[in-house]
Amino acid sequence: MKIQLALFVLIGLATVRKAVPEACSPSGSVRLVWGAGPWEGNVQICLNGGWGWICQNSFYTNEAKVVCRQLGFNATGSVYRRYAYYGWPDPSLPIWLDQLGCHGTESNIMSCPQPKAIGDASCNHNALAAVLCPNQGANPNCSEGSLRLLRNQASTPFKSYGRVEICHSNRWGSICDSGWGTPDAKVACGQLGYTASAASSYCCATYGQSYGPVWLSNMGCTSSNNQLTSCTHDNFGANTCSHSKDAGAGCRGEVTGSCTNGAVKLFRPYGIGPNNDGLALYCNNSRWVGFCDDGWSCHNARLICKKLGFPAALNTRWEGYYGYYKQTDTYRFYCRSTNTDLSQCSYTYRSSCTSLNDQIGVICYKPIISKTCTDGQVRLQNGNTTSEGRVEYCYEGRWNPVCSLTGIAASLICKQLGYNSTLATIIDDQRFNRSDIRSVFNTFSCSSTTPSLGQCNNTMKGSACFTSVSKCTTEVGLRCHNTAFTTCTDGQSRLVNGTLAQEGRVEVCLSGIWGSVCQNGFGQSDAYVICKELGYNGPSPNVYYRSKYGESTGPIVYSNLKCKGWETVLTECTKDTFPSISCSPQNTIGLICKDDCSDGDVRLVGGGFANEGTVEVCMDHMWGLVSDAGWNASHAKVVCRQLGFTSGIFKPYTGSAFGKPNNRILLKNVKCSGHELKLIDCANYQLGLWGGRKQLATTNVAGVDCIYDEPTDPPCGTKAAYYDTTPGPQCVPLNNIVRLTENSTKSAGRVEYCYNGYWSPLCKMDNKLAMVICRYLGFSQYSYGSIIESGEFGNLMNVSLIDNVTCTGTESTPFHCTYHQSPSSCTPFCSKNLGIRCFNQGICTNGAVRLMDGIIENEGRIEVCVNGVWGTVCDQGFTKTDANIVCKQLGLPDTEPIVLPNSEFGDGTYPIVYSNVTCGGWESTITQCNKVQYENTVCSRKHTAGVLCGYDCNDGDVRLVNSLSSSATYEGTVEVCFENLWGLIADTNWSQQDAVVVCRQLGFETSGTQSVTGSHFGKPNMRLHLSNVACLGTEDSISQCNYNTYSLSQGKTQLATTDVAGVKCYIPANCVAPPSSGTACSDGSVKLVGGSNNGEGILEFCYKGNWSPFCYLGPNEATVACRQLGHTSYDMTAVFTDGRFGSLAGVSLFQNISCALNLAANQLGDCLIADSCQSTCKNVVGLRCYDAANCQEGQVRLVNGTKTEGRLEVCYKGVWGSVCGVGFDVTDAFVACKELGLGMSEPTVYTNSHYGDGDGAIVYYNTSCKGYESSIVGCNKQIYGMFTCSRNNVVGVACQEGCSNGAVRLINGSSSNEGTVEVCYYNTWGLVTDGGWSDSEAQVVCRQLNFQGGNARIGSPYGRPNAPVLISNTQCSGSESSISSCQYTHLSEDQSSGLAGANVAGVRCSAATIPPSASSHRLSSSGIGLTVLSLLLALFIAISVSLVAFMVYKWRKGPKRYSPIVTLNSDPQDASNPMATANMWPNGEKDDEEEDDEMLQLMNE
């Protein structure tokens, strides 16, 4: 063996070494290592007192210039190289710099812009920058006659090929190719340490031009020469050659001398660089040959490294990193995942293994052993407590982060740390900061029966073949638990960390520790069971994902719950339990449970008795509280009566007197008159869930006591004895027994009775006594008297001298009645003396009825005429049936009235003539009903009945009243109907959009609509219904808008001080009256014209005998039109205003037709027609009606784009329809893309009909997804018929597929090695135009896909997939490692759409072939000879030939449609080598052979 060659070979170097950082100075200095000389190598920089590397990211020619200049070289011609070209180091040295941004003029590398901090590098040690400085500096320091090989190209060159340069006079120069030939190249290669027996010569500056002089020419070497200077040649510098004739050589490596068969080694030229990286050599027949890479299995590399004493392989590299070796083995190894030594691998003849480019390099993993800790130790770092932190494990003598954890491993870690609970919390959000340590350690592999962490298997980063020295993508944290610090009973459930009692994070007790529940698979049935267990029996609990109520301090104990709904406790449900779950603490479930109550229900809580407590009101199945602001007796009265307390005094309480439960504040600013039937009927401001929760802490709440014992007048008082014993002088009973006082009239006053000569007030009086008194006072024809209880006429004294006076009612004078004396010690007491009012006949007609003292129309106190005098009706027993008879008698609509008891409109002046009215409902007048009549009525004047009669209208109806012109129907004050009552709209914030909706609802054309405020058209005597109306302008009716409501009481009391809204639905000056009549058609008929298919076309309506198109038509009206046309299968149609069905004169004989009040109409003639004026439009309305289903309910698709983008369409009621852009955002698009299986990356949303508006109905509006829904059907939204949407506002979506930039694949081919080329950019697969597409580009694609070569196919021979064109003008040299390394034009979206018909590129890659016959033998590492192996040959051949043939067949066939996807350096934290390839199959399937052997794992490039 040659002495020079011995210098090339790495012999006897340790494969494991200790990490000893190499000190350096000064800071910022650089050096090149592992090159053939100081002019080349991987770049190292001195920082923080130690040498480290520079990452290749953004390292290009400018950076190379700065390095060369700093090293004293001329920067001109500086070449950058990548992927640790001069050797793949171990991770003992840090990577100091990344993403430099040099301008190329800096004097040193630290002067370059540095966007990242020192030490913050995103690449691994396989992606380091390297530099070649070919232009010598001031001190080249070369030896006379020494040689070097240089290659100026930046792409990865063959290390043994290059321009030959020779040193003369301490200066490098080139050799002229005149006379240069193979003998000269052999001498040069031999001098450089390569074999002199094989070399190639190159002319014409093949490897670039030198920067020095041309030293030699006319070389004449022979085999006897061993140095170029010993060959014949012209004198140094004595030539006229230009550098365009610089000579080059291609050399071969060779290790001479004998070797032991079966031995392996890694070869590096010049013997320089890391001993774990080199060309793989194998000793065959006592000589070293290169491993053949045909059909290379990554397990070959694994076993080569193992045989060399390394624990694992990092990757493989192509021979270009090392140069060609002289001879390649003609047999190839094929190892499997089950093989543990090379001797177990198949070893078969390969006829194609004779070429030099069938060699391969291997990089082995060389551990760096430290003594920082003892292997197997574990610790938690950077936690807030000792029980939590980032998990670090001692491996190879140093602390390493852990990249992932199973529940079993987490439990064993906590056990080793001394915690007694088997539960643990795995935390993967890196809250405990990162160590960013690069290592091979990944995680633990433990089984359920593993007793301790030390008995788990340690797993390394990477694949089954290759390990990776890299950072963890996630450095996992952990929280351990002790049962001693928690107390709960297994199976208990609770809600925690919520503001309200019925909300919070779900926690369950398991093994004595509270833990949370994972959101995976969690649904409504699971939520219902939990809430039911907690005592909440209401429907549809709210489910919240992503730890809305914060993370639990405990573990996640349950996942994938599958409750049916009938279970009584959560533990009865099917579920996964720790440690058999994988879930992040950020993905736990929260709930808001619902109560079993109905909207408007009230209850009292917190009181000592059932009749008292804090008031709670139900809304949306949740109890809420009432703010005590303004809370008074009227409010308490309504609450108590709603609860069934009909008597007593109702006392309000403020200041949270009975406590404040943890429920939301629901109502504020409550204003009751006291007569409402429910608290919710009172005027109020209702808070949403968020606002009510927020105000809970700062708001005091209301309470009531429904039987409050307030002091009352005592039942009796004391009178002086002389009233009974001594007659008084004030009156004479026989002459004047009764008088009326304190009133100017003789018909009313305080009643005084003459007792023993003294005037006495009365504390008791019934109707019969009142009749006798009125008769006695001269009212003989009508003696009904109104008893006045209010003290209106003042007090004589607080006691009555007699107990009572009783009459039969027929007496002419009270003197004939019986008086009842009271004892002196207890005579009746009354602080309000009774009065009376008497009447004369002739005021009214008997039986007539009227409503008095109401504020608005159709309401008031009921008065009925009896005996010519008006009288009131007692509210005792008075019901809606009785009130309905009154309303009908008044000629008002037969609708459900509102009964207003308790003298809502005052008690009036007339007597209470009826009580206990009981009508059957059939009567025409109230006089026909059963009742108690005066004088037998017993009723306080506080209980007269009132009524509010309804109107014949439906909720949401609108009308215009008080037009300034009696004939104008297009303008007026707006009235809206709710609860059968017409009411007004306050003009606060009344806008053009609100007016447009009113006019549309009334059937008018919306163009020219004006909003009117300030009660411009007057203010009818109606209640206020709405205020702060806020319409978008697209709604079909006012009821679809947002607004505030008034209670009945509030709407009446604020009427006087509130201005109301009006509209003008068009400008009368533009009005053209429609024609009066015609004979062309039958009124109300409809037809479609101009459509190419049945059920589509321009809609025409027969109006007054003339056919007329529409200028406007809403979706509900369109549905009625289709129904009238016989298309009754679907209550849905598509409306078009773009003239797609042809053109008609844009004039409609009417303004509009509105079916808002009759959605079930079967013909348009049954709907409201606004026809004051004709209307004009650019295009008249067209329709498409539906007859048959063409899709399955809930399906989604993308139309008019590519497979990943297009107009979003949803199957609604069996018909494809589009989605309106209003409210549609990225979250909604994400759910749609997820449903389509198009990746989890953020999509792009278009709301401007970017992909066309389609030809179907717009079926969804204001879509609002949360993001967790599995289908867009499950999102909140408005559906067809509830909205209008412009066809210019249809949604389009561009989904992202989740592939990596630069990845390529082949599709539509008959086998895996051919097809149309698709390339990934920005998460989207797209096409390549075939302009300029050649075999050079095809070679790169095939290499990237792990094939050995290929040919271009142009003209879309494999078809043109439905995908965008992403790149064009691709130009490759053919040597690039990936298509992304070539030059090309990346197309914008607009550019891509312009190439919709362009031909696209394809390739057909070469597939490996199997020789017709193969001889094989077994290699024995223990020295077993071929003689022994041949005994097994017959059996082995039969098995292996069949197996290999099958494998090749499968390999060639591949997946039916897709070829392997190759991703190059897609993730800066990826554990794999960016230069290496990974065999990934899109359909997720491999046959057994492929999966076992990982067959297509090849070299870097």
Side-chain angles (χ1 to χ4, degrees):
M1 184 174 64
K2 295 181 179 180
I3 296 174
Q4 285 180 316
L5 193 55
L7 297 175
F8 299 173
V9 184
L10 301 173
I11 301 175
L13 295 179
T15 59
V16 175
R17 68 184 182 86
K18 191 175 178 181
V20 180
E22 184 179 355
C24 63
S25 66
S27 182
S29 58
V30 295
R31 68 181 183 183
L32 303 179
V33 299
W34 300 339
W39 56 84
E40 67 178 353
N42 292 347
V43 184
Q44 288 189 344
I45 185 167
C46 179
L47 291 173
N48 296 336
W51 289 107
W53 307 102
I54 298 178
C55 184
Q56 69 184 26
N57 294 333
S58 300
F59 195 98
Y60 299 107
T61 301
N62 283 345
E63 288 71 26
K65 285 182 177 180
V66 176
V67 170
C68 290
R69 182 181 296 115
Q70 185 173 350
L71 289 169
F73 295 96
N74 189 318
T76 303
S78 300
V79 177
Y80 71 90
R81 288 181 177 147
R82 302 161 71 80
Y83 298 112
Y85 173 71
Y86 294 97
W88 187 328
D90 60 46
S92 59
L93 297 183
I95 302 173
W96 284 136
L97 300 180
D98 191 5
Q99 295 185 358
L100 295 171
C102 300
H103 303 290
T105 58
E106 295 86 351
S107 59
N108 63 80
I109 203 72
M110 291 305 292
S111 299
C112 297
Q114 301 171 38
K116 302 186 75 171
I118 293 173
D120 180 16
S122 58
C123 67
N124 292 324
H125 286 77
N126 61 333
L128 305 179
V131 166
L132 166 66
C133 304
N135 202 338
Q136 62 192 32
N139 299 301
N141 192 25
C142 59
S143 302
E144 184 71 20
S146 60
L147 302 181
R148 67 179 184 180
L149 285 179
L150 297 183
R151 181 170 175 162
N152 292 358
Q153 290 88 342
S155 59
T156 303
F158 278 88
K159 198 164 284 184
S160 60
Y161 280 56
R163 179 180 64 254
V164 180
E165 292 194 354
I166 188 167
C167 179
H168 175 67
S169 298
N170 204 28
R171 188 176 183 188
W172 291 105
S174 61
I175 299 172
C176 182
D177 63 8
S178 296
W180 179 262
T182 299
D184 310 304
K186 286 183 177 181
V187 173
C189 289
Q191 184 177 342
L192 285 166
Y194 294 95
T195 180
S197 62
S200 303
S201 62
Y202 296 91
C203 71
C204 314
T206 298
Y207 300 108
Q209 298 181 10
S210 173
Y211 294 92
V214 181
W215 280 133
L216 297 176
S217 65
N218 293 316
M219 299 298 301
C221 298
T222 67
S223 59
S224 62
N225 299 117
N226 58 11
Q227 289 190 340
L228 282 183
T229 54
S230 67
C231 303
T232 62
H233 56 78
D234 291 342
N235 291 332
F236 280 93
N239 63 77
T240 59
C241 274
S242 69
H243 282 298
S244 64
K245 294 174 66 64
D246 286 347
C251 304
R252 318 280 195 273
E254 184 180 22
V255 179
T256 59
S258 63
C259 56
T260 303
N261 285 345
V264 295
K265 71 164 43 185
L266 301 179
F267 167 79
R268 293 185 62 81
Y270 312 115
I272 300 171
N275 69 329
N276 61 309
D277 178 8
L279 195 71
L281 302 183
Y282 161 64
C283 186
N284 186 10
N285 293 327
S286 299
R287 63 175 180 167
W288 292 106
V289 293
F291 274 88
C292 176
D293 68 359
D294 278 9
W296 183 263
S297 164
C298 61
H299 293 287
N300 296 9
R302 173 176 62 86
L303 295 178
I304 289 171
C305 290
K306 181 178 180 182
K307 198 168 187 67
L308 287 169
F310 294 102
L314 289 174
N315 220 311
T316 57
R317 297 219 247 196
W318 71 310
E319 60 270 17
Y321 282 89
Y322 316 100
Y324 283 142
Y325 192 76
K326 181 180 178 181
Q327 186 172 357
T328 306
D329 192 4
T330 56
Y331 286 75
R332 66 106 177 185
F333 281 92
Y334 186 77
C335 303
R336 307 170 187 275
S337 60
T338 56
N339 298 142
T340 58
D341 188 87
L342 277 174
S343 63
Q344 300 172 357
C345 305
S346 66
Y347 186 58
T348 57
Y349 173 76
R350 299 284 284 190
S351 62
S352 59
C353 283
T354 56
S355 64
L356 297 177
N357 60 6
D358 282 329
Q359 299 164 6
I360 193 167
V362 172
I363 305 98
C364 299
Y365 169 60
K366 180 167 62 178
I368 307 166
I369 301 300
S370 177
K371 292 185 179 179
T372 306
C373 54
T374 302
D375 281 6
Q377 288 181 303
V378 68
R379 68 181 182 182
L380 301 179
Q381 290 290 100
N382 285 1
N384 294 322
T385 67
T386 57
S387 63
E388 67 176 14
R390 182 180 66 249
V391 181
E392 291 189 350
Y393 179 68
C394 190
Y395 183 77
E396 294 178 348
R398 64 172 182 160
W399 291 109
N400 294 270
V402 178
C403 301
S404 64
L405 273 180
T406 64
I408 295 172
S411 181
L412 293 176
I413 290 172
C414 292
K415 179 180 179 182
Q416 181 166 325
L417 290 172
Y419 293 90
N420 63 8
S421 174
T422 58
L423 303 178
T425 305
I426 301 170
I427 301 170
D428 57 6
D429 61 359
Q430 303 188 124
R431 68 186 64 178
F432 305 117
N433 299 324
R434 293 179 58 88
S435 67
D436 279 334
I437 292 173
R438 289 179 171 85
S439 72
V440 297
F441 179 75
N442 184 24
T443 186
F444 310 95
S445 177
C446 312
S447 71
S448 59
T449 59
T450 306
S452 67
L453 187 67
Q455 293 177 275
C456 297
N457 294 321
N458 297 329
T459 65
M460 301 169 74
K461 297 188 184 83
S463 65
C465 297
F466 297 134
T467 190
S468 169
V469 182
S470 58
K471 299 177 184 178
C472 290
T473 301
T474 300
E475 296 188 7
V476 177
L478 185 64
R479 183 180 296 122
C480 299
H481 306 279
N482 275 324
T483 56
F485 301 108
T486 57
T487 54
C488 62
T489 303
D490 279 9
Q492 281 182 291
S493 296
R494 67 180 183 181
L495 299 178
V496 297
N497 212 33
T499 303
L500 309 180
Q502 62 207 90
E503 70 171 349
R505 180 180 62 251
V506 178
E507 289 194 348
V508 182
C509 184
L510 181 65
S511 300
I513 290 180
W514 286 109
S516 51
V517 176
C518 183
Q519 69 187 31
N520 294 344
F522 194 94
Q524 278 287 329
S525 296
D526 310 313
Y528 178 73
V529 171
I530 294 172
C531 291
K532 183 170 60 173
E533 180 180 352
L534 293 171
Y536 298 100
N537 294 310
S540 303
N542 292 353
V543 180
Y544 295 98
Y545 299 87
R546 297 197 62 77
S547 302
K548 175 181 173 65
Y549 295 99
E551 296 178 16
S552 173
T553 56
I556 300 174
V557 296
Y558 289 163
S559 181
N560 293 315
L561 281 163
K562 292 181 177 61
C563 300
K564 305 299 184 183
W566 49 262
E567 300 88 346
T568 57
V569 293
L570 191 62
T571 53
E572 295 175 353
C573 301
T574 302
K575 58 195 170 296
D576 295 335
T577 305
F578 187 90
S580 300
I581 59 176
S582 175
C583 189
S584 298
Q586 302 88 7
N587 292 328
T588 57
I589 282 295
L591 295 180
I592 296 181
C593 294
K594 298 299 183 70
D595 296 290
D596 188 14
C597 60
S598 301
D599 287 358
D601 288 354
V602 295
R603 71 178 183 183
L604 304 179
V605 297
F609 302 96
N611 59 287
E612 65 181 9
T614 297
V615 178
E616 288 190 340
V617 184
C618 180
M619 186 61 62
D620 298 326
H621 296 287
M622 292 180 65
W623 290 108
L625 304 169
V626 181
S627 167
D628 68 351
W631 188 253
N632 59 34
S634 294
H635 307 124
K637 181 179 180 181
V638 174
V639 170
C640 293
R641 284 183 173 166
Q642 184 176 347
L643 290 169
F645 297 99
T646 57
S647 61
I649 299 174
F650 312 128
K651 182 171 180 60
Y653 283 90
T654 58
S656 306
F658 296 103
K660 182 164 61 174
N662 279 344
N663 289 329
R664 62 167 168 160
I665 303 296
L666 177 62
L667 302 180
K668 294 185 69 176
N669 302 325
V670 178
K671 296 178 182 178
C672 302
S673 67
H675 304 298
E676 293 84 356
L677 300 181
K678 291 185 176 182
L679 185 65
I680 202 69
D681 294 335
C682 301
N684 64 77
Y685 179 74
Q686 185 172 319
L687 296 171
L689 181 59
W690 181 85
R693 183 193 290 119
K694 184 178 180 181
Q695 294 199 19
L696 176 61
T698 58
T699 303
N700 279 320
V701 296
V704 298
D705 182 352
C706 290
I707 307 177
Y708 178 73
D709 299 322
E710 185 177 74
T712 59
D713 286 349
C716 56
T718 303
K719 65 179 177 181
Y722 68 84
Y723 283 118
D724 292 327
T725 58
T726 304
Q730 297 176 355
C731 59
V732 177
L734 290 175
N735 296 333
N736 193 12
I737 194 168
V738 170
R739 69 177 183 180
L740 300 182
T741 61
E742 301 297 333
N743 193 274
S744 58
T745 70
K746 295 181 179 180
S747 61
R750 182 178 64 247
V751 177
E752 295 181 359
Y753 186 87
C754 185
Y755 170 72
N756 198 27
Y758 300 97
W759 287 112
S760 169
L762 292 180
C763 290
K764 300 176 182 178
M765 183 174 7
D766 61 13
N767 287 341
K768 293 179 179 180
L769 175 58
M771 289 177 63
V772 173
I773 292 174
C774 286
R775 189 179 295 121
Y776 173 70
L777 293 173
F779 297 92
S780 57
Q781 307 220 349
Y782 181 87
S783 57
Y784 292 1
S786 291
I787 301 171
I788 311 302
E789 303 164 339
S790 61
E792 176 183 341
F793 303 113
N795 274 19
L796 175 64
M797 55 184 176
N798 287 339
V799 295
S800 176
L801 301 181
I802 59 177
D803 181 57
N804 194 10
V805 178
T806 57
C807 308
T808 64
T810 59
E811 295 87 348
S812 59
T813 172
F815 186 80
H816 297 149
C817 297
T818 302
Y819 81 92
H820 305 274
Q821 187 173 356
S822 61
S824 299
S825 60
C826 188
T827 193
F829 184 97
C830 53
S831 58
K832 297 177 181 179
N833 297 168
L834 296 178
I836 197 171
R837 184 173 283 112
C838 302
F839 305 93
N840 288 313
Q841 279 185 321
I843 301 175
C844 57
T845 302
N846 284 346
V849 68
R850 69 180 182 180
L851 302 179
M852 296 298 295
D853 294 336
I855 298 175
I856 62 175
E857 286 184 4
N858 295 7
E859 74 165 1
R861 179 182 60 256
I862 301 170
E863 293 190 352
V864 60
C865 187
V866 177
N867 296 333
V869 177
W870 292 111
T872 58
V873 178
C874 183
D875 63 12
Q876 292 175 0
F878 197 86
T879 67
K880 289 185 178 182
T881 302
D882 311 320
N884 177 256
I885 299 301
V886 171
C887 294
K888 285 197 298 184
Q889 184 176 349
L890 289 167
L892 298 175
D894 185 11
T895 58
E896 183 176 311
I898 298 174
V899 176
L900 299 165
N902 304 317
S903 301
E904 169 78 12
F905 303 103
D907 60 359
T909 59
Y910 295 102
I912 301 173
V913 294
Y914 290 166
S915 71
N916 300 103
V917 177
T918 306
C919 301
W922 51 266
E923 300 87 350
S924 58
T925 67
I926 193 172
T927 58
Q928 295 172 338
C929 301
N930 292 327
K931 55 194 172 292
V932 175
Q933 292 186 240
Y934 198 97
E935 73 256 4
N936 294 318
T937 58
V938 179
C939 185
S940 167
R941 296 199 68 82
K942 296 179 182 179
H943 288 285
T944 59
V947 69
L948 172 57
C949 299
Y951 295 86
D952 188 12
C953 61
N954 299 312
D955 283 359
D957 289 357
V958 293
R959 68 182 182 184
L960 303 181
V961 300
N962 289 4
S963 169
L964 298 181
S965 171
S966 59
S967 61
T969 60
Y970 51 79
E971 66 179 11
T973 296
V974 179
E975 290 187 350
V976 59
C977 177
F978 285 104
E979 297 177 346
N980 297 120
L981 294 176
W982 287 109
L984 306 171
I985 301 175
D987 67 356
T988 307
N989 298 322
W990 185 249
S991 69
Q992 176 75 9
Q993 291 91 329
D994 308 326
V996 163
V997 173
V998 170
C999 292
R1000 179 181 297 120
Q1001 184 173 351
L1002 289 169
F1004 290 102
E1005 179 183 354
T1006 58
S1007 176
T1009 296
Q1010 296 179 18
S1011 61
V1012 180
T1013 58
S1015 304
H1016 177 77
F1017 296 106
K1019 184 162 52 175
N1021 197 26
M1022 296 287 180
R1023 61 169 292 186
L1024 290 170
H1025 260 320
L1026 308 178
S1027 68
N1028 295 314
V1029 176
C1031 302
L1032 297 174
T1034 59
E1035 297 87 348
D1036 281 334
S1037 68
I1038 200 77
S1039 60
Q1040 294 174 3
C1041 303
N1042 294 326
Y1043 48 77
N1044 293 337
T1045 61
Y1046 291 95
S1047 71
L1048 177 60
S1049 174
Q1050 189 181 28
K1052 291 190 295 185
T1053 57
Q1054 294 193 22
L1055 176 63
T1057 58
T1058 303
D1059 279 323
V1060 296
V1063 299
K1064 289 184 177 181
C1065 288
Y1066 70 94
I1067 301 173
N1070 296 337
C1071 182
V1072 176
S1076 57
S1077 63
T1079 59
C1081 53
S1082 175
D1083 281 2
S1085 302
V1086 292
K1087 68 178 181 179
L1088 295 174
V1089 297
S1092 58
N1093 298 309
N1094 180 40
E1096 67 178 18
I1098 296 171
L1099 178 66
E1100 290 191 311
F1101 177 76
C1102 187
Y1103 173 77
K1104 294 184 177 180
N1106 297 290
W1107 285 113
S1108 172
F1110 286 76
C1111 279
Y1112 173 82
L1113 196 68
N1116 292 315
E1117 292 71 28
T1119 299
V1120 174
C1122 287
R1123 193 180 296 143
Q1124 184 174 351
L1125 288 163
H1127 303 280
T1128 59
S1129 299
Y1130 296 96
D1131 288 336
M1132 181 173 63
T1133 188
V1135 181
F1136 306 100
T1137 58
D1138 55 5
R1140 66 180 64 190
F1141 298 119
S1143 60
L1144 288 177
V1147 177
S1148 177
L1149 300 181
F1150 45 86
Q1151 288 170 277
N1152 195 14
I1153 295 180
S1154 174
C1155 301
L1157 306 181
N1158 188 9
L1159 295 178
N1162 289 314
Q1163 54 186 12
L1164 287 175
D1166 295 336
C1167 301
L1168 177 65
I1169 302 179
D1171 58 355
S1172 299
C1173 305
Q1174 297 184 40
S1175 54
T1176 60
C1177 50
K1178 180 180 179 181
N1179 293 306
V1180 295
V1181 171
L1183 297 185
R1184 175 171 288 112
C1185 303
Y1186 296 104
D1187 285 314
N1190 56 15
C1191 56
Q1192 292 184 351
E1193 192 72 15
Q1195 283 182 301
V1196 295
R1197 67 180 182 182
L1198 299 178
V1199 181
N1200 205 31
T1202 68
K1203 62 186 177 183
T1204 60
E1205 64 179 347
R1207 179 177 62 255
L1208 179 63
E1209 292 192 347
V1210 184
C1211 185
Y1212 176 70
K1213 293 187 176 180
V1215 174
W1216 287 112
S1218 51
V1219 178
C1220 185
V1222 174
F1224 197 94
D1225 60 18
V1226 170
T1227 304
D1228 310 315
F1230 172 78
V1231 173
C1233 291
K1234 182 172 61 172
E1235 182 176 358
L1236 288 166
L1238 293 177
M1240 301 291 283
S1241 301
E1242 181 173 304
T1244 302
V1245 176
Y1246 303 93
T1247 57
N1248 58 351
S1249 300
H1250 183 76
Y1251 299 100
D1253 65 343
D1255 56 4
I1258 302 175
V1259 297
Y1260 286 174
Y1261 177 88
N1262 204 20
T1263 308
S1264 180
C1265 301
K1266 304 297 184 184
Y1268 56 77
E1269 299 87 348
S1270 60
S1271 169
I1272 198 169
V1273 176
C1275 301
N1276 291 326
K1277 58 196 171 294
Q1278 289 179 266
I1279 58 174
Y1280 179 90
M1282 300 172 62
F1283 62 86
T1284 58
C1285 180
S1286 168
R1287 297 200 72 86
N1288 295 323
N1289 202 15
V1290 168
V1291 164
V1293 172
C1295 301
Q1296 308 293 328
E1297 291 186 277
C1299 55
S1300 301
N1301 278 356
V1304 295
R1305 68 182 183 185
L1306 305 180
I1307 67 171
N1308 288 354
S1310 60
S1311 62
S1312 64
N1313 63 311
E1314 65 177 350
T1316 297
V1317 177
E1318 285 196 340
V1319 61
C1320 177
Y1321 274 97
Y1322 305 114
N1323 290 309
T1324 299
W1325 287 108
L1327 305 170
V1328 182
T1329 61
D1330 66 355
W1333 189 255
S1334 68
D1335 287 348
S1336 295
E1337 290 73 35
Q1339 290 280 353
V1340 174
V1341 169
C1342 291
R1343 181 180 299 115
Q1344 188 173 349
L1345 290 169
N1346 300 332
F1347 294 105
Q1348 296 180 16
N1351 302 110
R1353 296 288 188 268
I1354 60 175
S1356 308
Y1358 300 104
R1360 192 182 191 284
N1362 187 21
V1365 177
L1366 293 183
I1367 65 174
S1368 65
N1369 301 320
T1370 311
Q1371 295 181 10
C1372 303
S1373 67
S1375 61
E1376 293 85 353
S1377 61
S1378 68
I1379 198 75
S1380 59
S1381 299
C1382 302
Q1383 295 183 3
Y1384 54 83
T1385 300
H1386 182 240
L1387 301 177
S1388 68
E1389 183 180 335
D1390 290 339
Q1391 291 171 323
S1392 177
S1393 62
L1395 294 173
N1399 283 324
V1400 294
V1403 298
R1404 179 175 176 80
C1405 300
S1406 301
T1409 59
I1410 299 297
S1413 64
S1415 61
S1416 62
H1417 64 271
R1418 280 285 178 182
L1419 174 70
S1420 172
S1421 62
S1422 61
I1424 298 177
L1426 294 176
T1427 303
V1428 176
L1429 290 175
S1430 63
L1431 297 175
L1432 303 174
L1433 185 58
L1435 178 61
F1436 179 80
I1437 288 176
I1439 297 174
S1440 61
V1441 168
S1442 299
L1443 182 59
V1444 170
F1446 176 74
M1447 288 168 55
V1448 170
Y1449 170 77
K1450 293 296 288 186
W1451 179 63
R1452 286 182 172 178
K1453 289 290 285 183
K1456 179 64 178 176
R1457 180 178 175 86
Y1458 291 103
S1459 68
I1461 299 174
V1462 179
T1463 303
L1464 296 188
N1465 201 19
S1466 60
D1467 186 350
Q1469 292 189 1
D1470 188 5
S1472 64
N1473 173 19
M1475 291 293 291
T1477 58
N1479 192 21
M1480 299 162 53
W1481 299 93
N1483 61 5
E1485 297 177 357
K1486 298 181 182 180
D1487 59 46
D1488 294 338
E1489 199 71 22
E1490 291 163 336
E1491 182 174 358
D1492 185 45
D1493 301 325
E1494 301 190 16
M1495 182 179 285
L1496 294 170
Q1497 180 68 42
L1498 293 180
M1499 298 166 286
N1500 308 38
E1501 299 192 19

